[in-house]
Amino acid sequence: MKLNIDSARLRSDLTTLCSFGGRFAGSTSELQAREFLKQRLAAITHSPITIHQVPYNGWARESWNLKLLTPKSRTLHSHPLVRSPSTPPNGIEAEVIDLGRGTLEDFDAHRQEIPGRFVLVRHEYMFSTTHIHRRVKYAWALERGAAGFLIGCHLPGDLVVTGSSGGEEIPAFGISREGAAALAATANGYPRIHATVQSRTAVRNAENLIAEIPGQTDQWIVICAHYDGHDLAQSAIDNGTGVAAGLAIAGALAAADKPPRLGARVIFFTIEEWGLLGSRAYVDALSEVERHKISLVVNLDSLVGGSKLTALTSGFAELNRFVASTGLPIATHLPMMANSDHYNFARHGIPSLRLVSGFNEPESDLRYLLTSGDRLERIEPAELTAATKIAASLVATALAHESHIAPHQR
Ligand SMILES: [Zn+2]
């Protein structure tokens, strides 16, 4: 089956999503995106949307300040990482130990210097085989008794970096590359900082949005994308592109003249940026039988900005062969990458892949993810159309399959 992608609609959907802002979970911006998606998805699929409610511990930044005291007093541009705990109202004063990149060797070499100090590490380009995730570095800092966690941006221009630390035990901030340079170790001992953060927590309700285009069997291809993001910019690449592409593919499927062989289930997840929480709740709640009916998951997350698309195939070698058999310009990377919602399906043995642009291309525009640089202007409309057409062709090929594309794993 050939799926026709409406590039004008694709562009306008992306523009609308970005117009709400970064869609940080629990914000008005996320709520607006959710309501927009409910309407759009129902309208293009001509069917009711299923809403999967996910209660979670909400968190919002209220106020914060990070100040360098010595060697030279100045305020540092900063952004508390998601779920950073509040400090006492008067803040905390502490020394900073600069661990450079923050590899395990760096942590071990300075093990004695970490307790009671803030640890400083550097953010890395996320889509590469050698990347060490910030959550891993945070966990190493926590285990070794750090009082706080700072992560410096990799890009120049006083851009701060954000993201989740994966924990809520010690205050954690993203800072700029220039700020990190000001905190680098000197011969005169450790720099001292004063850190304050006040955050607000409340139980909230997230909503995963689901639409189904039934096929001729009881097997499903899941096409998913997360619609939440971060509040520094518009989360345009990550993941306005995936959501706009998901809408375009859903629209094309609904408009096709006959139903696909396998059914298509389109899911827009949220709280992905908080440790994949939305998809975790969804997949965990499925019965073993329902999980077995999912033939393949195609997760659309960050589709433009690099020179090509890569399918991260979660350890399923058969998926590499499947992607190659389509003849589409998609590279493959087999090792499990727990960096988006496909992971929660793969963890349950369901063949799952993530399509991502810029894999192993550190100079691609994906370097702006998690900074104020992830904006609509950065996206070339023709590039989004091309990526969406490739994703749609992959989905169309999968939907024509007789049954499972790759065996489920135990
Ligand atoms: Zn993402």
PDB file of all heavy atoms in Angstrom, residues 20 22-35 56 205-207 227-229 270-271:
ATOM      1  N   PHE A  20       2.672  26.111  20.815  1.00  0.00           N
ATOM      2  CA  PHE A  20       2.278  25.975  22.230  1.00  0.00           C
ATOM      3  C   PHE A  20       3.468  26.156  23.165  1.00  0.00           C
ATOM      4  O   PHE A  20       3.303  26.384  24.350  1.00  0.00           O
ATOM      5  CB  PHE A  20       1.651  24.594  22.489  1.00  0.00           C
ATOM      6  CG  PHE A  20       0.433  24.307  21.647  1.00  0.00           C
ATOM      7  CD1 PHE A  20       0.312  23.094  20.974  1.00  0.00           C
ATOM      8  CD2 PHE A  20      -0.585  25.242  21.534  1.00  0.00           C
ATOM      9  CE1 PHE A  20      -0.801  22.825  20.199  1.00  0.00           C
ATOM     10  CE2 PHE A  20      -1.712  24.976  20.757  1.00  0.00           C
ATOM     11  CZ  PHE A  20      -1.814  23.768  20.084  1.00  0.00           C
ATOM     12  N   GLY A  22       7.300  24.472  24.611  1.00  0.00           N
ATOM     13  CA  GLY A  22       8.103  23.249  24.713  1.00  0.00           C
ATOM     14  C   GLY A  22       7.372  22.023  25.215  1.00  0.00           C
ATOM     15  O   GLY A  22       7.928  20.941  25.252  1.00  0.00           O
ATOM     16  N   ARG A  23       6.104  22.183  25.672  1.00  0.00           N
ATOM     17  CA  ARG A  23       5.262  21.060  26.092  1.00  0.00           C
ATOM     18  C   ARG A  23       5.856  20.273  27.273  1.00  0.00           C
ATOM     19  O   ARG A  23       5.810  19.044  27.314  1.00  0.00           O
ATOM     20  CB  ARG A  23       4.975  20.135  24.881  1.00  0.00           C
ATOM     21  CG  ARG A  23       4.414  20.901  23.700  1.00  0.00           C
ATOM     22  CD  ARG A  23       4.158  20.043  22.482  1.00  0.00           C
ATOM     23  NE  ARG A  23       5.326  19.379  21.941  1.00  0.00           N
ATOM     24  CZ  ARG A  23       6.256  19.967  21.178  1.00  0.00           C
ATOM     25  NH1 ARG A  23       6.145  21.239  20.849  1.00  0.00           N
ATOM     26  NH2 ARG A  23       7.290  19.280  20.750  1.00  0.00           N
ATOM     27  N   PHE A  24       6.415  21.011  28.208  1.00  0.00           N
ATOM     28  CA  PHE A  24       6.941  20.370  29.423  1.00  0.00           C
ATOM     29  C   PHE A  24       5.768  19.734  30.187  1.00  0.00           C
ATOM     30  O   PHE A  24       4.729  20.374  30.378  1.00  0.00           O
ATOM     31  CB  PHE A  24       7.629  21.427  30.294  1.00  0.00           C
ATOM     32  CG  PHE A  24       8.347  20.861  31.484  1.00  0.00           C
ATOM     33  CD1 PHE A  24       9.472  20.068  31.323  1.00  0.00           C
ATOM     34  CD2 PHE A  24       7.900  21.103  32.771  1.00  0.00           C
ATOM     35  CE1 PHE A  24      10.142  19.534  32.413  1.00  0.00           C
ATOM     36  CE2 PHE A  24       8.565  20.572  33.873  1.00  0.00           C
ATOM     37  CZ  PHE A  24       9.691  19.788  33.689  1.00  0.00           C
ATOM     38  N   ALA A  25       5.931  18.484  30.616  1.00  0.00           N
ATOM     39  CA  ALA A  25       4.822  17.750  31.231  1.00  0.00           C
ATOM     40  C   ALA A  25       4.238  18.513  32.421  1.00  0.00           C
ATOM     41  O   ALA A  25       4.964  18.934  33.315  1.00  0.00           O
ATOM     42  CB  ALA A  25       5.286  16.364  31.655  1.00  0.00           C
ATOM     43  N   GLY A  26       2.931  18.681  32.397  1.00  0.00           N
ATOM     44  CA  GLY A  26       2.243  19.377  33.473  1.00  0.00           C
ATOM     45  C   GLY A  26       2.030  20.853  33.203  1.00  0.00           C
ATOM     46  O   GLY A  26       1.301  21.528  33.928  1.00  0.00           O
ATOM     47  N   SER A  27       2.646  21.380  32.140  1.00  0.00           N
ATOM     48  CA  SER A  27       2.520  22.807  31.820  1.00  0.00           C
ATOM     49  C   SER A  27       1.286  23.045  30.949  1.00  0.00           C
ATOM     50  O   SER A  27       0.726  22.110  30.356  1.00  0.00           O
ATOM     51  CB  SER A  27       3.761  23.287  31.079  1.00  0.00           C
ATOM     52  OG  SER A  27       3.810  22.685  29.797  1.00  0.00           O
ATOM     53  N   THR A  28       0.880  24.299  30.849  1.00  0.00           N
ATOM     54  CA  THR A  28      -0.225  24.681  29.959  1.00  0.00           C
ATOM     55  C   THR A  28       0.107  24.278  28.527  1.00  0.00           C
ATOM     56  O   THR A  28      -0.751  23.840  27.771  1.00  0.00           O
ATOM     57  CB  THR A  28      -0.420  26.217  30.021  1.00  0.00           C
ATOM     58  OG1 THR A  28      -0.564  26.562  31.391  1.00  0.00           O
ATOM     59  CG2 THR A  28      -1.646  26.649  29.256  1.00  0.00           C
ATOM     60  N   SER A  29       1.363  24.454  28.178  1.00  0.00           N
ATOM     61  CA  SER A  29       1.822  24.122  26.838  1.00  0.00           C
ATOM     62  C   SER A  29       1.576  22.638  26.502  1.00  0.00           C
ATOM     63  O   SER A  29       1.100  22.295  25.414  1.00  0.00           O
ATOM     64  CB  SER A  29       3.302  24.495  26.790  1.00  0.00           C
ATOM     65  OG  SER A  29       3.978  23.865  25.791  1.00  0.00           O
ATOM     66  N   GLU A  30       1.861  21.754  27.435  1.00  0.00           N
ATOM     67  CA  GLU A  30       1.617  20.319  27.211  1.00  0.00           C
ATOM     68  C   GLU A  30       0.115  20.065  27.083  1.00  0.00           C
ATOM     69  O   GLU A  30      -0.338  19.274  26.251  1.00  0.00           O
ATOM     70  CB  GLU A  30       2.200  19.478  28.353  1.00  0.00           C
ATOM     71  CG  GLU A  30       2.149  17.972  28.066  1.00  0.00           C
ATOM     72  CD  GLU A  30       1.669  17.123  29.233  1.00  0.00           C
ATOM     73  OE1 GLU A  30       1.198  17.690  30.238  1.00  0.00           O
ATOM     74  OE2 GLU A  30       1.740  15.890  29.121  1.00  0.00           O
ATOM     75  N   LEU A  31      -0.662  20.734  27.936  1.00  0.00           N
ATOM     76  CA  LEU A  31      -2.114  20.566  27.929  1.00  0.00           C
ATOM     77  C   LEU A  31      -2.712  21.003  26.582  1.00  0.00           C
ATOM     78  O   LEU A  31      -3.572  20.327  26.023  1.00  0.00           O
ATOM     79  CB  LEU A  31      -2.703  21.414  29.061  1.00  0.00           C
ATOM     80  CG  LEU A  31      -4.104  21.056  29.512  1.00  0.00           C
ATOM     81  CD1 LEU A  31      -4.126  19.665  30.121  1.00  0.00           C
ATOM     82  CD2 LEU A  31      -4.591  22.087  30.543  1.00  0.00           C
ATOM     83  N   GLN A  32      -2.214  22.120  26.070  1.00  0.00           N
ATOM     84  CA  GLN A  32      -2.716  22.613  24.776  1.00  0.00           C
ATOM     85  C   GLN A  32      -2.380  21.627  23.663  1.00  0.00           C
ATOM     86  O   GLN A  32      -3.202  21.364  22.780  1.00  0.00           O
ATOM     87  CB  GLN A  32      -2.092  23.980  24.456  1.00  0.00           C
ATOM     88  CG  GLN A  32      -2.653  25.100  25.324  1.00  0.00           C
ATOM     89  CD  GLN A  32      -1.863  26.399  25.161  1.00  0.00           C
ATOM     90  OE1 GLN A  32      -0.666  26.383  24.872  1.00  0.00           O
ATOM     91  NE2 GLN A  32      -2.538  27.521  25.360  1.00  0.00           N
ATOM     92  N   ALA A  33      -1.174  21.087  23.721  1.00  0.00           N
ATOM     93  CA  ALA A  33      -0.772  20.116  22.701  1.00  0.00           C
ATOM     94  C   ALA A  33      -1.658  18.872  22.788  1.00  0.00           C
ATOM     95  O   ALA A  33      -2.084  18.315  21.770  1.00  0.00           O
ATOM     96  CB  ALA A  33       0.696  19.741  22.887  1.00  0.00           C
ATOM     97  N   ARG A  34      -1.950  18.441  23.994  1.00  0.00           N
ATOM     98  CA  ARG A  34      -2.782  17.260  24.214  1.00  0.00           C
ATOM     99  C   ARG A  34      -4.176  17.468  23.606  1.00  0.00           C
ATOM    100  O   ARG A  34      -4.689  16.599  22.894  1.00  0.00           O
ATOM    101  CB  ARG A  34      -2.883  17.043  25.730  1.00  0.00           C
ATOM    102  CG  ARG A  34      -3.715  15.866  26.150  1.00  0.00           C
ATOM    103  CD  ARG A  34      -4.253  16.073  27.567  1.00  0.00           C
ATOM    104  NE  ARG A  34      -3.255  15.859  28.604  1.00  0.00           N
ATOM    105  CZ  ARG A  34      -3.519  15.969  29.919  1.00  0.00           C
ATOM    106  NH1 ARG A  34      -4.734  16.309  30.352  1.00  0.00           N
ATOM    107  NH2 ARG A  34      -2.573  15.773  30.801  1.00  0.00           N
ATOM    108  N   GLU A  35      -4.779  18.619  23.874  1.00  0.00           N
ATOM    109  CA  GLU A  35      -6.126  18.875  23.353  1.00  0.00           C
ATOM    110  C   GLU A  35      -6.111  18.975  21.830  1.00  0.00           C
ATOM    111  O   GLU A  35      -7.005  18.460  21.152  1.00  0.00           O
ATOM    112  CB  GLU A  35      -6.709  20.151  23.986  1.00  0.00           C
ATOM    113  CG  GLU A  35      -6.945  20.022  25.500  1.00  0.00           C
ATOM    114  CD  GLU A  35      -7.681  18.735  25.890  1.00  0.00           C
ATOM    115  OE1 GLU A  35      -8.728  18.432  25.277  1.00  0.00           O
ATOM    116  OE2 GLU A  35      -7.197  18.018  26.800  1.00  0.00           O
ATOM    117  N   TYR A  56       1.002  10.529  37.887  1.00  0.00           N
ATOM    118  CA  TYR A  56       2.449  10.597  38.147  1.00  0.00           C
ATOM    119  C   TYR A  56       2.729  11.756  39.101  1.00  0.00           C
ATOM    120  O   TYR A  56       1.874  12.617  39.319  1.00  0.00           O
ATOM    121  CB  TYR A  56       3.236  10.759  36.834  1.00  0.00           C
ATOM    122  CG  TYR A  56       3.101  12.114  36.170  1.00  0.00           C
ATOM    123  CD1 TYR A  56       4.145  13.045  36.171  1.00  0.00           C
ATOM    124  CD2 TYR A  56       1.926  12.484  35.534  1.00  0.00           C
ATOM    125  CE1 TYR A  56       4.030  14.284  35.553  1.00  0.00           C
ATOM    126  CE2 TYR A  56       1.795  13.730  34.918  1.00  0.00           C
ATOM    127  CZ  TYR A  56       2.843  14.613  34.938  1.00  0.00           C
ATOM    128  OH  TYR A  56       2.719  15.836  34.336  1.00  0.00           O
ATOM    129  N   ASN A 205      -2.021  14.035  36.311  1.00  0.00           N
ATOM    130  CA  ASN A 205      -2.513  13.003  35.420  1.00  0.00           C
ATOM    131  C   ASN A 205      -2.009  13.267  34.008  1.00  0.00           C
ATOM    132  O   ASN A 205      -2.311  14.304  33.435  1.00  0.00           O
ATOM    133  CB  ASN A 205      -4.045  13.055  35.428  1.00  0.00           C
ATOM    134  CG  ASN A 205      -4.639  11.676  35.492  1.00  0.00           C
ATOM    135  OD1 ASN A 205      -3.907  10.683  35.593  1.00  0.00           O
ATOM    136  ND2 ASN A 205      -5.938  11.602  35.419  1.00  0.00           N
ATOM    137  N   ALA A 206      -1.223  12.349  33.506  1.00  0.00           N
ATOM    138  CA  ALA A 206      -0.783  12.464  32.117  1.00  0.00           C
ATOM    139  C   ALA A 206      -1.736  11.652  31.249  1.00  0.00           C
ATOM    140  O   ALA A 206      -2.436  10.772  31.753  1.00  0.00           O
ATOM    141  CB  ALA A 206       0.639  11.936  31.977  1.00  0.00           C
ATOM    142  N   GLU A 207      -1.763  11.951  29.961  1.00  0.00           N
ATOM    143  CA  GLU A 207      -2.642  11.209  29.061  1.00  0.00           C
ATOM    144  C   GLU A 207      -1.893  10.757  27.811  1.00  0.00           C
ATOM    145  O   GLU A 207      -1.390  11.586  27.053  1.00  0.00           O
ATOM    146  CB  GLU A 207      -3.854  12.068  28.653  1.00  0.00           C
ATOM    147  CG  GLU A 207      -4.788  12.348  29.824  1.00  0.00           C
ATOM    148  CD  GLU A 207      -6.069  13.096  29.414  1.00  0.00           C
ATOM    149  OE1 GLU A 207      -6.230  13.394  28.211  1.00  0.00           O
ATOM    150  OE2 GLU A 207      -6.882  13.367  30.318  1.00  0.00           O
ATOM    151  N   TYR A 227       4.819  13.437  22.758  1.00  0.00           N
ATOM    152  CA  TYR A 227       4.475  14.842  22.478  1.00  0.00           C
ATOM    153  C   TYR A 227       4.950  15.794  23.561  1.00  0.00           C
ATOM    154  O   TYR A 227       4.832  17.007  23.409  1.00  0.00           O
ATOM    155  CB  TYR A 227       2.974  15.012  22.215  1.00  0.00           C
ATOM    156  CG  TYR A 227       2.020  14.748  23.370  1.00  0.00           C
ATOM    157  CD1 TYR A 227       1.638  15.771  24.235  1.00  0.00           C
ATOM    158  CD2 TYR A 227       1.476  13.487  23.570  1.00  0.00           C
ATOM    159  CE1 TYR A 227       0.732  15.538  25.272  1.00  0.00           C
ATOM    160  CE2 TYR A 227       0.573  13.240  24.602  1.00  0.00           C
ATOM    161  CZ  TYR A 227       0.197  14.278  25.456  1.00  0.00           C
ATOM    162  OH  TYR A 227      -0.689  14.047  26.471  1.00  0.00           O
ATOM    163  N   ASP A 228       5.488  15.294  24.648  1.00  0.00           N
ATOM    164  CA  ASP A 228       6.015  16.194  25.681  1.00  0.00           C
ATOM    165  C   ASP A 228       7.433  16.632  25.305  1.00  0.00           C
ATOM    166  O   ASP A 228       8.040  16.070  24.389  1.00  0.00           O
ATOM    167  CB  ASP A 228       6.015  15.509  27.063  1.00  0.00           C
ATOM    168  CG  ASP A 228       6.998  14.354  27.148  1.00  0.00           C
ATOM    169  OD1 ASP A 228       7.026  13.517  26.223  1.00  0.00           O
ATOM    170  OD2 ASP A 228       7.768  14.289  28.120  1.00  0.00           O
ATOM    171  N   GLY A 229       7.923  17.635  26.003  1.00  0.00           N
ATOM    172  CA  GLY A 229       9.261  18.136  25.719  1.00  0.00           C
ATOM    173  C   GLY A 229       9.813  18.922  26.889  1.00  0.00           C
ATOM    174  O   GLY A 229       9.472  18.652  28.044  1.00  0.00           O
ATOM    175  N   THR A 270       3.257  10.663  26.512  1.00  0.00           N
ATOM    176  CA  THR A 270       3.805  11.834  27.183  1.00  0.00           C
ATOM    177  C   THR A 270       4.697  11.381  28.357  1.00  0.00           C
ATOM    178  O   THR A 270       4.920  10.191  28.529  1.00  0.00           O
ATOM    179  CB  THR A 270       2.680  12.803  27.618  1.00  0.00           C
ATOM    180  OG1 THR A 270       3.276  14.004  28.103  1.00  0.00           O
ATOM    181  CG2 THR A 270       1.793  12.196  28.683  1.00  0.00           C
ATOM    182  N   ILE A 271       5.201  12.321  29.092  1.00  0.00           N
ATOM    183  CA  ILE A 271       6.213  12.121  30.152  1.00  0.00           C
ATOM    184  C   ILE A 271       7.354  11.179  29.722  1.00  0.00           C
ATOM    185  O   ILE A 271       7.965  10.519  30.534  1.00  0.00           O
ATOM    186  CB  ILE A 271       5.627  11.756  31.531  1.00  0.00           C
ATOM    187  CG1 ILE A 271       4.432  10.789  31.444  1.00  0.00           C
ATOM    188  CG2 ILE A 271       5.267  12.992  32.334  1.00  0.00           C
ATOM    189  CD1 ILE A 271       3.850  10.383  32.821  1.00  0.00           C
TER     190      ILE A 271
END
